[in-house]
């Protein structure tokens, strides 16, 4: 249930921006409220504060998005954010040749804004986060920001052959698509997304200048800097919805940054549609539903007030609330999402806990009871419990003894050779534990209860128990006494040991453990070669029992 | 203190014997004569003092010795001696002596003054020096004595004391140390006690024969040095991490939860798809997840369940659900597949379940992250359960773990909505740290498995709690099996 460990996106925002847009709110109050808006404070550096946000709120990828949310929570500006979409008659023509690779393109025009240092920084950071998050590292969607004034319309989205020549962003001389893909770092990194194709998607304007080679790089001619006043933003994607999702976030951000956002026409085959798609969605929820999810008794007026604080539109209609969801809120699709927004607007810190009664008593599993009994008996025999990893290195688990011909279960792409193969026995890791304690007082007696894994036609995982004794007089007889005591005290079982060879044990000092005629484990004195490899100086005896077999536990 | 009553301890007996042959002794000589170590002698002397069998006198004496730097100059001779030797060899003026390197210029005045005081030299015409006599000075005699051994100041003769005074004025020649001198002597009672020590027989051991024969009535058992250390013993025990896991499990049971378990190896279906995690989510990539090489795992879900999951993915994520992706065998990245599958299969209208088990993340291990760690997860399903109930259960759970300073912040998981994280205040780091994640399972998750009531769920890693409890800085220590740690961690954290 813990958080997915995928990289959490981070945004930098300055205190001065907070002061500007949240007038009269103290820094302490802001820092207190931020976590309740779903933002974790990661650290601060002078005027800048670093916030972690969740990947379901890509609108938090710029400080405009955060400000928009906080102004709502603090009651400074509530309800749907104002957004007016203008109209241009500029068009983007989609050539059928792009259909196989990134078939979808959407775009917008944003005029009359100022691109100061902070705004550029925020836009670039937002673009990167959108690329990595919703864009799935540019695979699903990628964004191009261009200087509108250097573009001759209509813009065409088509495909070009590898020899197509253009000047990439930041360069001064022309190069070909092939060179960019093969010789530049960005090219190599993202060319996989395009796959092996003959022709590459390109966005060019009427005069043939390249705006972008998505998802790799933009052209230099349409580059954006502090002097740019008007922007053209395009998003290419593998799906229409994701393209619109990304563009919607950019649209509201540019509007908050002072631009007037207007639509363009996208012409594809015979069809034309206006882009960006900024229509709101309507979701209606029951007052009773919201209250049952949260455990509250709010009336319709209170609920609409909470929703407006979350920057949603809300209208009470009898026992229902009609919510209007702005296009950029890609995380809201179901009434349950509305319930959460009510909780955020209400303030999680305001939720008083209630303790529900249980209709039944709790119980421990049978497996747990057996395992605890084993622990108690072995501890009573003076043994210390050791815990080791199931995922280990080949050498540790299979290289210590003559077991290297086994074909153990392994994992793909491990980040370290220490965690590559699943263990099929507990004995090697117990010996490793002993080898780390050669300077500690003897005798040393350890045991472990853990799962071991076997391949075969189906993967089998079983509970096993193993124990080792190490001291100058460690012997087969001693470990057998422990093993018998364990089976007898724990389960009232008696056992036999019959000679059997094992790669772990000295020939002639090795046996299998039988209960009711069935083999449940093995026992013996550890091979001196292994002890030498581990740089140990005392003999070791061991046993291992398969609990699944012993207790007929379900797989 | 040794035992009350008359019986003397073997240490006391040994000391009394030694003192009877040398009535006033130092601690060191008693140790030498009895073979006991200094600590045992000191203890024994205290007991005897308490019994008024000895008396102890402490005096402070001053001890003088040669300093290290003086030893060298003593060998080559005091400056005034070197001056005299030079004159004996024909040099007559101070300048000559300095030029010849016999004495550095800054020592000449002191040397001449000392030589004059000793009556060794005379000044003639033109300031030339001649020898009057050259016998050993008291300072030289004293230095010779000191070279052999350090001396107690009080044992010096008058002229030696004067010589010492003169030497002490010169920098770095002699040093003085205060020595505490402890003298133990027998009192009158002690003298008579020491006499009977020889004749008095005591037994060390109570034997079975003495008990059964009744002869124990006639036997005097010696007192024991009850203060002496006993050997260390190392009891067997559960692993300290397991202690915490057990504590957590018992709290769950106390809240009415039933323990369940499930396999570590899961299909992608139960680990991700059934949890409404889209198939192109970055967490599913090899970067974060361990896929078992070349292996698939039976999905073990009904056709209906599979169809519903496929539909939910299409509707919610707009992606076509690929069954091959769902069949890949993974090492579970969380214990949620176990609890969810159990919920789906029990068809109970309500229930509370929990499980604790190992989960795996394909990461680089560090002092705070493990590749393989223990996760606990609890789910509660019943009609009308709400977010406030979730917070309430949490607070109760933490209170029973002794954690009172707790907050809840909103967060996001793909399969719960609303989602919260619990934050606990870490006094050492002076900040709030995340403990568990929790939420209400999304309807897309529960309905596709045929579950109708709301399902509350929470859980997280246990190692972090163990680190806090045991004061560890590096999570890897929990799996190091270091005996120095395992043998020393107390069972109870008071």
């Amino acid at each position: 249930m813990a958080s997915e460990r995928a990289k959490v996106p981070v945004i930098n925002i300055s205190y001065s921006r907070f002061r500007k847009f949240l007038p009269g709110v103290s820094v302490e109050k802001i820092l207190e409220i931020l976590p309740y808006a779903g933002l974790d404070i990661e650290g601060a550096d002078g005027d800048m504060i670093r916030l972690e946000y969740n990947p379901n709120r890509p609108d938090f990828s710029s400080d405009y998005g955060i400000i928009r949310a906080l102004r709502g929570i603090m009651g400074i500006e509530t309800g749907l954010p104002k957004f007016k979409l203008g109209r241009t008659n500029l068009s983007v023509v989609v050539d059928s040749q792009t259909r196989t690779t990134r078939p979808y393109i959407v775009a917008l025009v944003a005029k009359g804004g100022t691109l100061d240092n902070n705004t550029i920084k925020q836009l670039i950071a937002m673009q990167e986060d959108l690329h990595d998050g919703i864009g799935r590292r540019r695979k699903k969607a990628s964004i191009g920001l261009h200087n509108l004034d250097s573009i001759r319309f209509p813009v065409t989205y088509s495909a070009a052959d590898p020899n197509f020549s253009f000047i990439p962003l930041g360069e001064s001389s022309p190069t070909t698509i092939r060179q960019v893909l093969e010789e530049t770092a960005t090219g190599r990194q993202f060319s996989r997304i395009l796959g092996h194709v003959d022709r590459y998607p390109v966005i060019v304007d009427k005069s043939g200048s390249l705006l972008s080679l998505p998802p790799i790089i933009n052209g230099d001619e349409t580059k954006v800097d502090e002097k740019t006043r008007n922007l053209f933003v395009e998003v290419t994607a593998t799906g229409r919805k994701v393209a619109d999702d990304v563009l919607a976030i950019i649209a509201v951000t540019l509007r908050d940054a002072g631009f007037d956002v207007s639509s363009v026409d996208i012409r594809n085959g015979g069809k034309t549609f206006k882009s960006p798609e900024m229509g709101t969605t309507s979701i209606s929820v029951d007052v009773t539903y919201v209250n049952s999810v949260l455990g509250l008794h709010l009336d319709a007026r209170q609920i609409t007030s909470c929703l407006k604080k979350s920057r949603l539109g809300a209208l009470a209609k009898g026992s229902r609330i009609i919510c209007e969801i702005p296009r950029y809120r890609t995380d809201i699709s179901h009434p349950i999402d509305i319930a959460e927004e009510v909780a955020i607007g209400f303030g999680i810190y305001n939720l008083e806990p209630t303790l529900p009664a249980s209709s039944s008593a709790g119980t421990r599993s049978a497996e747990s009871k057996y395992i605890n009994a084993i622990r108690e008996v072995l501890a009573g025999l003076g043994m210390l419990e050791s815990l080791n990893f199931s995922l280990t290195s080949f050498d540790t688990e299979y290289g210590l003894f003559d077991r290297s011909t086994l074909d153990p279960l392994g994992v793909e792409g491990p980040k370290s050779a220490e965690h590559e193969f699943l263990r099929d026995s507990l004995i090697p890791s117990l010996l490793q534990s002993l080898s780390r304690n050669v300077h500690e007082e003897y005798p040393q007696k350890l045991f472990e209860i853990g799962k071991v894994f076997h391949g075969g036609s189906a993967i089998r995982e079983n509970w096993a128990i193993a124990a080792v004794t190490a001291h100058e007089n460690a012997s087969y007889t001693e470990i057998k006494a422990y093993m018998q005591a364990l089976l007898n005290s724990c389960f009232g079982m008696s056992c036999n040991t019959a000679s059997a060879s094992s790669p772990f044990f000295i020939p002639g000092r090795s046996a299998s453990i039988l209960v009711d005629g069935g083999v449940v484990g093995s026992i013996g004195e550890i091979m001196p070669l292994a002890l030498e490899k581990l740089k140990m100086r005392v003999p070791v005896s061991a046993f291992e029992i398969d609990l699944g077999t012993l207790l007929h536990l379900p797989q | 203190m040794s035992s009350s009553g008359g019986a003397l301890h073997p240490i006391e007996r040994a000391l009394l014997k030694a003192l009877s042959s040398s009535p006033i002794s130092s601690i060191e000589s008693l140790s030498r004569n009895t073979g006991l170590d200094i600590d045992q002698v000191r203890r024994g002397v205290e007991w005897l003092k308490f019994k008024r069998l000895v008396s102890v006198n402490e005096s402070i004496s001053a001890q003088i010795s040669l300093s290290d730097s003086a030893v060298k100059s003593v060998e080559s001779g005091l400056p005034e001696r070197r001056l005299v030797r030079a004159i004996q060899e024909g040099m007559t003026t101070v300048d000559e002596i300095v030029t010849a390197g016999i004495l550095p210029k800054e020592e000449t005045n002191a040397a001449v003054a000392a030589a004059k005081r000793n009556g060794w030299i005379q000044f003639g015409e033109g300031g030339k020096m001649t020898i009057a006599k050259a016998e050993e000075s008291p300072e030289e005699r004293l230095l010779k004595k000191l070279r052999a051994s350090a001396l107690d100041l009080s044992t010096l003769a008058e002229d030696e004391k004067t010589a010492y005074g003169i030497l002490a004025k010169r920098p770095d020649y002699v040093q003085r140390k205060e020595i505490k001198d402890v003298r133990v002597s027998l009192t009158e009672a002690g003298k008579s006690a020491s006499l009977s020590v020889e004749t008095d027989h005591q037994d060390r051991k109570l034997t079975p024969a003495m008990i059964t024969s009744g002869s124990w009535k006639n036997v005097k058992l010696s007192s024991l040095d009850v203060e002496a250390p006993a050997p260390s013993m190392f009891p067997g025990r559960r692993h300290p991490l397991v202690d915490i896991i057990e504590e957590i499990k018992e709290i769950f049971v106390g809240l009415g939860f039933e323990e369940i378990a499930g396999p570590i190896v899961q299909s992608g279906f139960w680990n991700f798809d059934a949890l409404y995690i889209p198939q192109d989510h970055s967490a599913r990539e090899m970067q974060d997840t361990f896929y078992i090489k070349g292996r698939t795992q039976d999905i073990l879900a009904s056709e209906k369940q599979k169809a519903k999951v496929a539909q939910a993915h299409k509707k919610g994520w707009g992606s076509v659900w690929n069954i091959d992706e769902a069949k890949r065998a993974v090492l579970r990245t969380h214990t949620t597949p176990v609890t969810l599958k159990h919920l789906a299969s029990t068809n109970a209208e309500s229930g509370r379940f929990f499980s604790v088990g190992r989960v795996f993340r394909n990461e680089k291990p560090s002092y705070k992250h493990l590749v393989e760690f223990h996760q606990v997860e609890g789910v509660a399903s019943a009609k009308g359960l709400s977010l406030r109930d979730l917070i309430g259960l949490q607070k109760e759970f933490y209170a029973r773990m002794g954690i009172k300073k707790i907050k809840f912040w909103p967060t996001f998981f793909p399969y719960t909505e609303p989602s919260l994280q619990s934050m606990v205040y870490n006094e050492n780091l002076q900040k709030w740290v995340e403990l568990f994640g929790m939420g209400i399972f999304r309807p897309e998750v529960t309905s596709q498995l045929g579950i109708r009531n709301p399902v509350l769920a929470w859980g997280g890693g246990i190692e972090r709690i163990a680190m806090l409890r045991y004061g560890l800085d590096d999570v890897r220590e929990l799996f190091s099996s270091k005996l120095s740690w395992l043998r020393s961690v107390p069972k109870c954290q008071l």
Side-chain angles (χ1 to χ4, degrees):
Chain A
M1 180 77 220
S3 45
E4 294 299 317
R5 221 66 91 73
K7 215 172 75 180
V8 180
V10 170
I11 180 181
N12 292 306
I13 183 167
S14 72
Y15 284 113
S16 32
R17 303 274 293 167
F18 279 135
R19 279 195 288 277
K20 183 173 174 197
F21 291 101
L22 306 170
V25 185
S26 68
V27 171
E28 288 74 42
K29 183 86 182 132
I30 294 173
L31 293 177
E32 202 189 291
I33 286 289
L34 280 168
Y36 292 101
L39 295 155
D40 284 349
I41 299 164
E42 208 233 353
D45 204 4
D47 187 44
M48 298 299 285
I49 180 175
R50 274 191 316 282
L51 300 171
E52 281 183 350
Y53 65 94
N54 287 306
N56 67 324
R57 291 297 300 267
D59 57 309
F60 283 162
S61 55
S62 76
D63 63 4
Y64 294 104
I66 296 181
I67 301 276
R68 192 183 310 129
L70 289 179
R71 281 167 70 85
I73 290 182
M74 292 180 179
I76 298 172
E77 190 187 330
T78 60
L80 280 175
K82 293 194 204 22
F83 185 83
K84 194 166 182 295
L85 185 63
R87 184 162 168 36
T88 70
N89 41 25
L90 300 175
S91 33
V92 175
V93 180
V94 180
D95 188 324
S96 57
Q97 290 179 71
T98 57
R99 212 151 276 156
T100 50
T101 47
R102 302 165 80 74
Y104 298 95
I105 183 167
V106 292
L108 60 75
V109 157
K111 285 188 180 161
T114 328
L115 282 177
D116 59 29
N117 214 8
N118 181 71
T119 310
I120 292 187
K121 270 214 202 102
Q122 290 293 325
L123 289 178
I124 292 176
M126 176 184 68
Q127 184 181 15
E128 273 174 17
D129 276 0
L130 290 175
H131 275 168
D132 281 344
I134 320 180
R136 298 284 195 265
R137 288 201 284 269
R138 302 195 197 184
K139 188 171 164 185
K140 270 176 107 166
S142 63
I143 305 157
L145 295 171
H146 308 275
N147 182 350
L148 178 71
D149 300 329
S150 57
I151 301 174
R152 309 264 158 286
F153 282 84
V155 160
T156 309
Y157 182 39
S158 70
D161 69 44
N163 294 316
F164 182 90
S165 168
F166 71 103
I167 303 177
L169 181 66
E171 301 297 323
S172 44
S173 47
T175 177
T176 63
I177 292 182
R178 175 185 289 116
Q179 281 174 302
V180 167
L181 291 176
E182 286 171 11
E183 289 164 29
T184 68
T186 324
R188 281 196 293 270
Q189 188 181 0
F190 294 107
S191 54
R192 293 179 301 106
I193 296 172
L194 296 168
H196 299 292
V197 287
D198 298 322
R199 297 174 70 75
Y200 297 92
V202 289
I203 304 174
V204 289
D205 80 350
K206 186 170 170 187
S207 59
S209 314
L210 181 118
L211 272 71
S212 172
L213 172 68
I216 318 285
I217 195 167
N218 284 354
D220 195 69
E221 279 195 56
T222 57
K223 72 165 174 277
V224 163
D225 57 34
E226 326 76 64
K227 297 199 274 313
T228 311
R229 294 275 292 157
N230 303 310
L231 291 169
F232 175 72
V233 183
E234 39 81 6
V235 177
T236 54
T238 53
R240 177 68 197 277
K241 181 177 186 295
V242 63
D244 284 336
D245 286 348
V246 171
L247 195 61
I249 293 165
I250 297 172
V252 291
T253 308
L254 288 173
R255 181 264 167 193
D256 283 359
F259 285 84
D260 291 321
V261 180
S262 303
S263 69
V264 299
D265 288 334
I266 311 282
R267 295 180 202 282
N268 194 338
K271 303 203 197 89
T272 303
F273 63 88
K274 274 217 297 287
S275 164
E277 164 39 59
M278 297 299 289
T280 60
T281 318
S282 207
I283 298 183
S284 125
V285 291
D286 238 13
V287 168
T288 352
Y289 174 77
V290 171
N291 282 322
S292 75
V293 170
L294 303 181
L296 295 169
H297 302 283
L298 302 174
D299 62 33
R301 191 191 53 79
Q302 288 167 307
I303 293 180
T304 50
S305 163
C306 291
L307 289 171
K308 284 181 176 163
K309 276 174 150 188
S310 290
R311 303 314 304 264
L312 303 176
L315 199 60
K317 277 221 157 127
S319 64
R320 301 184 71 74
I321 314 280
I322 317 289
C323 308
E324 220 182 327
I325 320 295
R327 187 62 184 75
Y328 71 91
R329 288 301 300 270
T330 52
D331 61 307
I332 301 180
S333 56
H334 187 286
I336 194 71
D337 300 306
I338 303 287
E340 198 200 33
E341 294 304 313
V342 176
I344 306 273
F346 182 76
I348 301 289
Y349 45 85
N350 285 326
L351 290 170
E352 289 295 325
T354 46
L355 190 61
S358 174
S359 54
S360 56
T363 53
R364 294 296 301 270
S365 67
E367 195 178 88
S368 256
K369 287 189 214 152
Y370 297 143
I371 290 175
N372 278 336
I374 294 172
R375 283 193 178 116
E376 192 179 316
V377 168
L378 290 178
L381 286 168
M383 300 194 124
L384 280 175
E385 186 174 13
S386 171
L387 282 182
N388 296 297
F389 296 120
S390 329
L391 202 52
T392 180
S393 74
F394 189 86
D395 280 340
T396 304
E397 182 67 17
Y398 300 98
L400 209 51
F401 296 92
D402 188 10
R403 307 198 315 136
S404 44
T405 51
L406 291 175
D407 185 21
L409 294 166
V411 294
E412 289 176 30
K415 292 214 172 97
S416 106
E418 290 306 306
H419 304 279
E420 200 183 343
F421 290 94
L422 288 168
R423 60 180 176 178
D424 71 345
S425 159
L426 300 174
I427 289 180
S429 37
L430 278 175
L431 293 174
Q432 294 286 336
S433 296
L434 287 174
S435 76
R436 272 180 246 125
N437 288 294
V438 291
H439 298 296
E440 299 294 331
E441 217 177 291
Y442 287 98
Q444 296 178 4
K445 298 178 251 182
L446 304 176
F447 74 92
E448 181 170 9
I449 307 176
K451 281 199 170 176
V452 293
F453 302 81
H454 299 277
S457 53
I459 298 175
R460 283 169 298 130
E461 62 181 86
N462 287 328
W463 282 103
I465 156 71
V468 292
T469 54
H471 58 95
E472 62 181 359
N473 295 316
S475 70
Y476 175 86
T477 309
E478 184 194 29
I479 199 81
K480 182 173 173 177
Y482 279 89
M483 185 271 292
Q484 280 174 180
L486 171 67
L487 290 178
N488 190 31
S489 271
C490 247
F491 306 114
M493 288 176 184
S494 53
C495 63
N496 296 325
T497 46
S499 179
S501 66
S502 154
F504 292 127
F505 306 129
I506 298 170
R509 299 179 174 216
S510 167
S512 55
I513 304 171
L514 297 128
V515 170
D516 289 335
V519 175
V520 296
S522 60
I523 181 169
E525 296 183 0
I526 297 287
M527 294 273 235
L529 178 60
L531 299 177
E532 193 179 75
K533 281 188 194 168
L534 290 169
K535 301 207 193 334
M536 288 193 56
R537 292 171 231 157
V538 295
V540 176
S541 296
F543 73 80
E544 182 165 14
I545 292 175
D546 180 320
L547 285 179
T549 313
L550 185 75
L551 302 170
H552 309 295
L553 292 176
Q555 231 281 59
Chain B
M1 276 292 162
S2 69
S3 60
S4 54
L8 288 171
H9 189 290
I11 289 179
E12 291 171 315
R13 292 158 63 83
L15 290 173
L16 285 176
K17 254 176 89 169
L19 282 167
S20 66
S21 44
S22 91
I24 302 181
S25 299
S26 67
I27 303 280
E28 288 76 22
S29 63
L30 281 175
S31 168
R32 272 195 306 273
N33 294 337
T34 58
L36 297 165
D37 67 48
I38 298 283
D39 278 330
Q40 288 172 309
V41 171
R42 288 214 175 103
R43 277 211 297 276
V45 165
E46 279 305 306
W47 303 333
L48 289 170
K49 195 169 132 187
F50 187 73
K51 291 180 181 161
R52 296 196 222 273
L53 296 176
V54 300
S55 61
V56 178
N57 276 324
E58 282 184 10
S59 61
I60 312 241
S61 63
Q63 187 189 76
I64 55 172
S65 56
L66 274 185
S67 68
D68 297 326
S69 41
V71 174
K72 221 175 116 192
S73 21
V74 165
E75 271 166 35
S76 54
L78 291 170
E80 57 267 34
R81 175 60 62 190
R82 280 184 274 156
L83 177 75
V84 161
R85 277 196 212 123
I87 299 173
Q88 281 167 339
E89 278 169 29
M91 288 176 247
T92 51
T93 64
V94 169
D95 286 334
E96 271 181 279
I97 292 172
V98 170
T99 318
I102 308 253
L103 277 180
K105 188 161 194 267
E106 52 271 17
E107 285 186 27
T108 51
N109 283 342
V112 166
K116 266 174 82 173
R117 189 182 58 240
N118 291 338
W120 287 345
I121 56 171
Q122 281 167 335
F123 279 95
E125 279 186 37
K128 296 195 181 186
M129 297 181 286
T130 52
I131 303 286
K133 55 178 177 172
E135 62 199 28
E136 207 180 26
S137 67
E139 292 90 85
E140 286 176 311
R141 271 200 297 279
L142 179 62
L143 282 173
K144 253 210 210 129
K145 262 178 112 169
L146 282 173
R147 254 187 84 184
S149 76
L151 299 171
D152 186 326
L153 197 53
S154 58
T155 62
L156 291 182
E158 275 312 309
D159 61 339
E160 286 176 320
K161 283 197 180 142
T162 317
Y164 167 68
I166 293 174
L167 282 174
K169 288 206 189 87
R170 301 193 192 195
D172 256 355
Y173 265 75
V174 289
Q175 50 196 22
R176 179 192 161 126
K177 219 163 50 171
E178 308 278 309
I179 308 263
K180 195 157 99 165
D181 195 23
V182 179
R183 300 272 143 185
V184 185
S185 52
L186 290 173
T187 59
E188 285 308 313
K191 283 186 191 135
S192 34
S194 70
L195 291 172
S196 59
V197 151
E198 297 290 325
T199 52
D200 199 0
H201 176 75
Q202 291 184 346
D203 274 278
R204 274 200 79 83
K205 210 172 150 192
L206 176 64
T207 62
M210 287 179 198
I211 300 171
T212 50
S213 69
S215 68
W216 60 268
K217 296 185 195 108
N218 305 320
V219 156
K220 212 176 192 174
L221 287 169
S222 62
S223 308
L224 298 171
D225 182 2
V226 296
E227 291 175 26
S232 310
M233 288 187 76
F234 305 114
R237 61 163 294 167
R238 266 190 326 214
H239 192 282
L241 180 59
V242 174
D243 280 343
I244 294 197
I245 292 175
E246 280 298 307
E247 186 184 334
I248 290 175
K249 287 188 178 185
E250 288 304 316
I251 292 175
F252 270 100
V253 169
L255 288 169
F257 285 73
E258 184 189 320
E259 185 180 8
I260 57 171
I264 284 173
V265 179
Q266 294 279 343
S267 61
F269 182 83
W270 285 109
N271 198 71
F272 294 118
D273 295 306
L275 285 161
Y276 201 50
I277 297 173
Q279 288 185 331
D280 66 354
H281 192 284
S282 51
R284 289 178 82 144
E285 284 168 35
M286 213 156 65
Q287 265 91 308
D288 292 317
T289 302
F290 283 118
Y291 287 97
I292 301 189
K293 256 198 210 141
R295 286 284 181 164
T296 57
Q297 185 72 353
D298 280 341
I299 289 179
L300 304 171
S302 69
E303 288 310 311
K304 187 168 171 203
Q305 285 172 332
K306 284 187 230 173
K308 281 196 158 186
V309 166
Q311 193 189 24
H313 276 242
K314 184 137 200 262
K315 184 162 177 246
W317 302 115
S319 51
V320 175
W321 184 70
N322 180 344
I323 197 167
D324 289 326
E325 189 60 34
K327 273 191 184 166
R328 293 176 77 182
V330 312
L331 293 179
R332 66 186 179 201
T333 58
H334 41 197
T335 43
T336 317
V338 171
T339 41
L340 202 64
K341 187 155 190 299
H342 188 85
L343 271 176
S345 61
T346 52
N347 274 328
E349 278 308 302
S350 66
R352 295 187 178 191
F353 308 102
F354 79 97
S355 92
V356 176
R358 294 195 185 190
V359 298
F360 299 75
R361 303 279 171 91
N362 194 353
E363 287 191 354
K364 276 198 91 155
S366 72
Y367 72 95
K368 57 177 179 169
H369 286 138
L370 288 172
V371 165
E372 186 178 334
F373 59 99
H374 291 84
Q375 209 180 71
V376 60
E377 174 134 352
V379 290
S381 169
K383 192 158 175 232
L385 282 180
S386 71
L387 192 59
R388 281 176 70 190
D389 291 328
L390 178 59
I391 296 175
L393 278 168
Q394 286 299 290
K395 274 203 120 118
E396 186 60 31
F397 176 82
Y398 295 127
R400 293 185 191 200
M401 287 224 72
I403 300 172
K404 299 261 166 64
K405 213 167 171 187
I406 198 108
K407 280 207 281 212
F408 296 92
W409 288 348
T411 186
F412 168 75
F413 300 111
Y415 40 90
T416 52
E417 185 88 347
S419 314
L420 301 173
Q421 54 187 356
S422 56
M423 307 299 290
V424 67
Y425 194 71
N426 184 322
E427 296 289 345
N428 286 341
L429 297 175
Q430 291 277 299
K431 65 180 203 170
W432 293 88
V433 291
E434 188 196 326
L435 202 57
F436 286 167
M438 65 203 72
I440 304 180
F441 271 127
R442 286 194 73 99
E444 292 90 335
V445 174
T446 46
S447 64
Q448 73 194 358
L449 300 172
I451 302 165
R452 283 173 318 176
N453 285 327
V455 180
L456 309 178
W458 77 94
I462 294 181
E463 277 77 4
R464 178 174 292 184
I465 298 176
M467 283 174 76
L468 287 172
R469 273 286 180 84
Y470 296 125
L472 298 173
D473 292 320
D474 189 327
V475 69
R476 293 168 289 196
E477 287 181 57
L478 288 167
F479 286 86
S480 66
S481 289
K482 283 223 291 259
L483 290 180
S484 55
W485 184 65
L486 288 176
R487 284 172 170 170
S488 64
V489 183
K491 287 290 282 188
C492 299
Q493 310 285 311
L494 292 168

